[in-house]
Amino acid sequence: MNYMKHLSISILAILIVFDISAQNKKSVEAYYITAPLKIDGILDEPVYRNALPAKDFVQLQPYNGKPSLQPTEAYFFYDQTAIYVGALLHDNKPDSIFNYLTERDNIGMSDYFGVYLDPYNQGQLAYGFFITPAGVQVDIKAIKSDGDNEDGNWNAVWESKTQITKEGWTVEMRIPFSALRFSDKTVSNWGVNMFRNIRRYNSNNSWNFVDRKVSGFIHQEGQLTGIKDIKSPARLSFSPYIASYFQPNNSSGASKFLYKGGLDLKYGINDAFTLDMMLIPDFGQIQSDDQKLNLSPYELYYDEKRQFFTEGTELFQRANIFYSRRIGASPKFPADNKLTDNEIITYSPSENQLVNATKISGRTDKGWGIGLLNAMSLTSNAILKDTLTNIARNVIVQPFTNYNVAVIDKSLKNNSYISLINTNVSMANNPFHANVTATEFQIRDNSKTYVIKGKGGISSRGDSIMETGYYGSLTVEKNKGQFNWGLNEYFYSDKYNPNDLGYIQRNNQVNTEVWLFYQIIEPFWILRECQGDIFGAYDRVYNPSTLFDNEFGYDLFIQFKNNYSLSSSGKYSTNQFDYFEPRVTGRYYQNPQNLNLSFNLNTDQRKQLNFGIQYIYATQPLINHSTHETSLSCNLRMGQRFNFNYNIDMNNSLNEHGFVDLSENKDSIVFAKRDVSTLVNTFSTSYIINNKTSLSLRARHYWSGVENNQFFLLQSNGLLTNNSEYSENQDQNYNAFTVDMIFRWIFAPGSELSLAWKTASYSNENKVVYNYMSNFQKAWLNQTNSLSLKVLYYVDVNSFKKKKT
């Protein structure tokens, strides 16, 4: 299972930065060594005595730019295979170091040290290698984009070791050149910056000064000098896997064994570009989606969790037209449409089977970024059965499908860029075709105070008749300093539809938004920092060109010196002319004005026991509708290895008005006044045996009950009139229950064994049950289970070369 990587207080969440002139950049020299260092966390080799370290770290938080509260020294060396980093992290209270064991790629609440390397020294792309005192590795790729983005799904294979001493703690890293992309120039200076977090002070620190008042942090790096006469190594690795699944009591009533095998391959085409290929992929051990009851007219969005589609895909996110969950999703053509008289569906696949996926991506030293992605899914068939003759037949619900994405991106001066991207979906022996082409650009001035950003695209989809739509957006903003502002305008035509390989919640809209933002990053009074914004938006429908609504709101975040935090947001919307809720083109619902307020309080997350509480209130006085939502979370760390988290969310919406039914000819649109209650319990825990072995458990039960109290007919003027004749039962009682338990052992660099137990249960009935235990028992009894074992072994061709020599 690939967990989402994060720094507990993400570097990106706190780095809002500006341009620093070259003469203010620090530099440190990397020294060539003829024998590799022993990676043991003990800095006792003679080369350390002859090298000059990088030192004099400064604070990011709380006092930006002031000297770090504890000194740090970092050394750099290299040979023909790798770059080495050794660091002394002095601490006058080593027994106060936050030294928790966590799973790989999750720093949690530990202290940490990390280095970002930018081999092309362009301030556009940097590779991050972070380590905690307990030896937990985290690797991150930072990409210059709309701001800077950290890709925590990127994975590298590298060595590290830490030691806690009476003077603090030490780090040694060996980062193979095969994990990086760099130019073959004889002499080159790399960009570099280092970060250290000292949790007991809640203090983040960097080697090269990073000012928090502006946008982007990569270009605020220092210089790593002295690297010369190195060549890119052969970059070829492959990871074969085998997996076995046991499913007791499946739909046929019998237990079932499944066996799978496949291969992941990485090949460095040259010093800039890498090919990633996945043959017969297996995603059976990824975390279950948090499914919920959807009463809205919009499709729910679920995060991508499959590693191949989350790692190294930053280029493919340009212009917001690619949503990788479409690849291998549920079949496009419902089996219901193929039913004849007396037929029923006895089997319908929930997803399309991927057979392979390939991507090529990289960036040259001239600033050109290129990405290509292709994936293929096999033909999906449903089984229909005639209830009179018992004859079954197969019907195609999605033919063999080809998915393609291509993008080209050019870095410009002042951390600006421009890009072009295309997505394409085609099917074998089927005329359906979907194509979207879009562009995105960002232009900054020399001082990096102001920025102009834009996006635009055109979609074309259909079979014999193609439907074409388009969208565009333009933003002007100031994002440097304490006071910032922005103006944004965007539109989506009523025919724009990228959803065959992208995601957009709704089209047919025109929006103008303006905002003002203010921040104070230095501690004062009882506050550690605070920031807030106010905004206003004018929304219209694209077709017909008419008002949708007006919105006004605010956001506020405050962190206190005791490290408690308080946040609040609010939004007022005028009467809406909602053309989406009725589900019929051209019809609209006059949704009365509404007010939404939220408040969130979190205690000090560094404490072993910490809490969070959130309260949301929404009201529409004209229809006597109100919503009260309360969320409580508790996190407990016991010792170095055990972590427990519990979250409960309670939502009660009274007198909510919404769509429930539609007549066959679409003339009669039925709405209801309803009460909607939702209760979600989520429990997760982990026990970390060591920094390579862990056991985790996550269980979630979601219940939502919808009780309709009165029905209405929607009139042509958007108002509702009583409908006493409608008598169908549209109540709903929805349960979703999932459990994911995974044992993970990284038995060699890049290689792992995982044993997973997963259970899932989903049900929806038309009688609301308010007894929680009855709902939970029902979900527990109707579950499906699977037990899987997967072994993945990483092989790097460079390891064979070492053995030969």
Side-chain angles (χ1 to χ4, degrees), residues 201-231:
Y201 304 132
N202 202 7
S203 174
N204 292 280
N205 307 271
S206 66
W207 171 60
N208 202 69
F209 174 63
V210 176
D211 191 296
R212 297 180 55 211
K213 295 190 184 75
V214 214
S215 175
F217 80 93
I218 305 174
H219 63 281
Q220 294 206 62
E221 60 202 7
Q223 300 289 308
L224 181 63
T225 65
I227 297 178
K228 58 184 180 181
D229 299 326
I230 60 172
K231 298 293 182 182

Side-chain angles (χ1 to χ4, degrees), residues 367-388:
W368 287 98
I370 298 175
L372 300 171
L373 185 147
N374 171 264
M376 302 176 188
S377 65
L378 298 174
T379 299
S380 294
N381 293 284
I383 301 176
L384 310 182
K385 181 182 177 181
D386 190 303
T387 56
L388 298 180

Side-chain angles (χ1 to χ4, degrees), residues 338-345 384-387 391 393:
K338 301 178 183 294
L339 288 171
T340 59
D341 292 342
N342 304 316
E343 280 190 326
I344 60 172
I345 301 171
L384 310 182
K385 181 182 177 181
D386 190 303
T387 56
I391 296 176
R393 65 188 180 101

Side-chain angles (χ1 to χ4, degrees), residues 3-161:
Y3 288 89
M4 188 148 182
K5 304 175 188 174
H6 64 281
L7 306 181
S8 186
I9 297 180
S10 171
I11 291 176
L12 275 184
I14 61 172
L15 301 185
I16 309 173
V17 292
F18 79 121
D19 184 32
I20 296 183
S21 57
Q23 60 266 30
N24 291 332
K25 291 190 174 185
K26 294 179 179 179
S27 66
V28 61
E29 183 177 354
Y31 297 87
Y32 184 78
I33 54 177
T34 56
L37 297 181
K38 181 180 180 181
I39 306 302
D40 56 8
I42 303 174
L43 282 59
D44 58 352
E45 287 87 348
V47 291
Y48 283 104
R49 294 193 292 269
N50 300 324
L52 294 176
K55 54 184 181 180
D56 299 327
F57 281 52
V58 293
Q59 294 182 49
L60 291 169
Q61 286 180 318
Y63 295 97
N64 193 207
K66 292 189 177 181
S68 173
L69 298 174
Q70 297 287 345
T72 303
E73 301 171 17
Y75 299 84
F76 289 83
F77 308 96
Y78 72 99
D79 56 21
Q80 289 299 317
T81 63
I83 189 164
Y84 300 83
V85 183
L88 295 168
L89 298 106
H90 297 277
D91 198 311
N92 55 18
K93 293 184 178 180
D95 57 342
S96 298
I97 294 172
F98 280 47
N99 181 29
Y100 295 108
L101 276 165
T102 53
E103 294 173 289
R104 192 189 193 279
D105 302 326
N106 181 1
I107 280 181
M109 264 308 136
S110 292
D111 285 23
Y112 63 76
F113 169 81
V115 55
Y116 266 116
L117 297 172
D118 176 9
Y120 288 120
N121 200 18
Q122 296 174 339
Q124 298 285 335
L125 174 66
Y127 303 90
F129 303 86
F130 286 75
I131 193 80
T132 72
V136 177
Q137 291 185 345
V138 174
D139 28 38
I140 303 172
K141 186 187 289 185
I143 308 103
K144 174 64 64 179
S145 183
D146 184 3
D148 287 346
N149 296 320
E150 286 178 312
D151 178 10
N153 297 292
W154 176 69
N155 279 310
V157 178
W158 49 292
E159 299 176 58
S160 62
K161 189 71 175 180

